[in-house]
Amino acid sequence: MSAGGPGAGDLLDIEARQLELDRSLDALIRRIIDQPSQTCVGIATKLALAVELTDPIERADPPWQLVQAALNELSTVGQTCPA
């Protein structure tokens, strides 16, 4: 390790915190999936979350392009969706 850099203990603490945050995010996503959307805004929010959580490289794949297109269209017609 370089002078002033993180020590091994610091790196282990950072790794443990990252794992804890990953578990919390996974639990939150599962809760969101389990809750049915009641509005078009809720559906759009779930789609937007899916896109945001996708690896940027995978966003170029056709299935993710389809999700993004659906999100854009839902946002456009959102004014006509029932509240």
Side-chain angles (χ1 to χ4, degrees), residues 7-51:
D10 294 330
L11 293 175
L12 289 174
D13 289 344
I14 291 168
E15 183 179 9
R17 180 68 177 139
Q18 183 64 48
L19 289 171
E20 181 183 328
L21 290 170
D22 288 345
R23 278 189 229 109
S24 295
L25 180 60
D26 288 345
L28 178 60
I29 291 168
R30 281 192 300 275
R31 288 183 63 196
I32 291 169
I33 289 169
D34 290 341
Q35 294 296 316
S37 298
Q38 303 289 320
T39 65
C40 290
V41 172
I43 295 167
T45 301
K46 280 186 178 181
L47 285 168
L49 180 60
V51 170

